[in-house]
Amino acid sequence: MLATLASTHSGTTSVRSTNLRVAVNSSYSGKSDLSHGLVLELTVHSQDFGQLCETAYRWLTQGAQVASVQQELDQLTHDRPVSKVGFDSVSDVASRREAGDLWGYLSVAPVESLNVLYNPFTSRALEWLRESLTKRPESAGMDVGRYSDSGEISDSLIRLAVTFDEDLPEYVMLSYFVDEVKLVDSSTAAIEHERLLGVMEWACREFNVVFGHTSYDRPDRSTEHERFLRGPAPWRNTPNWASMLRGYSWLTVASADVVRALGGSGSLRNSGAFVEVAELPCGSYFLQATPTYAEYHDERVLSVYQALQPALVEGEFRRPSAAPGQPPTHMIIFDEDR
């Protein structure tokens, strides 16, 4: 997927067609009766806050356009009013419409307020978004979806976000969210893989991505590996991207120093754990375990773990919670499984 990245750096938002043909693996061990959200999170590093702001802005605008593989953004209406300070409610920017119509909005969570501010996803609101990002909010995002049969806002078709952490002033986290079911269901898997892999390819080509992972979405933004480790909060591991990995997953981005410590890209290719090992323009490496998400379980997870284990952040493992509704544990290797 990303083999040509190192030689195709570009400032445009277009990506080549992936022509994905997805065969859903019926033995997918992670399926459950509950739907769980997945997040692709990319850690971008820069000592220049202005550059981090520009990265965040481009992720929420150009990145959203890349993910709009069925031209959803082009179908949005632009007759919504725009507020210079932001609206207090989603209903102010995406009120009831006809079933099947598209809705879209931008959101910003300022540091100094418990409120979230909104504006419609239109060109007229982009100046508000850019200015809001310069104030280093806790987070900002964009959502696009279709109105339900009753004319109400339904689940997002495209959802991207950025997160700033006051304890990590040199970083911005770029997130792309997708429902796990959409990646394994035969009616949606192809288009959802095209969205996710397309936006990841674009971002890895454009930005200084020093770490990346695909994990279940949780408030502390932990990887699957960190989820079961006792010890410091996950954010404390972020600055150590040059010497360790916060986790391993279906799609992983590792720094050049980490890959070198693991024996180099050739060693990772020869491990048999990855279908793709590609150097990025920023020097990091993109590692893809299987062609599709549905294939990433059991022996494939173990192979990735064994290939990356020497670089993983260390700690004492704890067993999964017995509480109902928790995401499955098929993407993590426990001591007895090694």
Side-chain angles (χ1 to χ4, degrees):
M1 173 62 68
L2 301 178
T4 61
L5 281 186
S7 60
T8 59
H9 185 73
S10 170
T12 66
T13 62
S14 62
V15 294
R16 55 187 167 79
S17 173
T18 54
N19 295 319
L20 288 170
R21 296 179 63 84
V22 177
V24 177
N25 191 330
S26 60
S27 64
Y28 168 61
S29 61
K31 287 185 82 172
S32 69
D33 294 334
L34 296 174
S35 174
H36 298 284
L38 288 170
V39 59
L40 161 69
E41 184 182 82
L42 303 176
T43 301
V44 176
H45 176 250
S46 176
Q47 295 180 337
D48 182 350
F49 179 64
Q51 186 174 1
L52 293 179
C53 286
E54 183 64 17
T55 295
Y57 178 81
R58 292 183 61 199
W59 174 252
L60 296 177
T61 54
Q62 296 176 12
Q65 189 67 56
V66 172
S68 178
V69 297
Q70 294 183 319
Q71 290 74 53
E72 289 89 352
L73 296 190
D74 297 335
Q75 301 173 46
L76 292 173
T77 59
H78 297 278
D79 58 348
R80 301 285 190 181
V82 172
S83 169
K84 292 183 179 181
V85 296
F87 293 102
D88 293 327
S89 172
V90 172
S91 61
D92 292 326
V93 299
S95 57
R96 186 183 179 113
R97 286 289 179 99
E98 293 297 322
D101 285 350
L102 284 163
W103 54 264
Y105 62 80
L106 300 165
S107 60
V108 174
V111 171
E112 70 278 5
S113 172
L114 296 177
N115 296 330
V116 177
L117 303 176
Y118 302 91
N119 256 315
F121 196 110
T122 71
S123 58
R124 293 180 293 115
L126 296 185
E127 182 178 349
W128 169 80
L129 174 64
R130 188 186 288 276
E131 181 179 352
S132 297
L133 291 171
T134 64
K135 299 176 183 177
R136 198 181 184 94
E138 288 186 4
S139 63
M142 65 75 56
D143 289 73
V144 169
R146 292 192 182 279
Y147 289 98
S148 66
D149 291 342
S150 61
E152 304 294 335
I153 292 178
S154 59
D155 293 339
S156 300
L157 293 172
I158 304 170
R159 181 184 174 209
L160 284 76
V162 300
T163 304
F164 294 100
D165 192 320
E166 62 181 0
D167 294 310
L168 300 169
E170 298 182 357
Y171 300 89
V172 62
M173 309 299 182
L174 312 180
S175 301
Y176 176 87
F177 302 90
V178 61
D179 193 309
E180 181 179 44
V181 170
K182 291 184 177 182
L183 285 174
V184 299
D185 189 284
S186 59
S187 65
T188 55
I191 191 70
E192 295 304 328
H193 277 76
E194 186 175 356
R195 290 191 202 277
L196 187 154
L197 292 171
V199 76
M200 184 175 191
E201 173 181 354
W202 173 80
C204 286
R205 185 176 67 232
E206 298 296 323
F207 307 132
N208 183 33
V209 180
V210 296
F211 177 68
H213 67 101
T214 43
S215 303
Y216 287 113
D217 181 25
R218 51 184 64 89
D220 65 359
R221 305 198 313 273
S222 59
T223 66
E224 293 305 298
H225 182 67
E226 291 170 325
R227 172 186 171 196
F228 298 104
L229 283 183
R230 300 183 188 276
W235 67 264
R236 294 185 180 274
N237 296 321
T238 298
N240 301 319
W241 54 266
S243 59
M244 65 176 62
L245 287 172
R246 290 176 50 203
Y248 55 97
S249 58
W250 171 47
L251 307 175
T252 305
V253 176
S255 70
D257 289 338
V258 165
V259 170
R260 191 177 303 113
L262 290 169
S265 59
S267 177
L268 292 180
R269 291 188 182 96
N270 294 334
S271 70
F274 307 102
V275 296
E276 182 110 40
V277 176
E279 184 177 8
L280 306 177
C282 65
S284 298
Y285 283 83
F286 167 79
L287 312 174
Q288 181 172 354
T290 56
T292 66
Y293 173 75
E295 298 168 273
Y296 185 63
H297 58 85
D298 299 328
E299 291 301 320
R300 300 312 299 266
V301 177
L302 179 60
S303 295
V304 172
Y305 167 77
Q306 291 173 335
L308 302 181
Q309 187 277 328
L312 290 174
V313 59
E314 297 180 348
E316 179 186 355
F317 264 88
R318 57 187 175 189
R319 294 301 303 169
S321 169
Q326 296 297 309
T329 59
H330 67 286
M331 295 193 290
I332 188 69
I333 300 298
F334 293 100
D335 290 338
E336 61 267 29
D337 301 323
R338 300 172 185 176

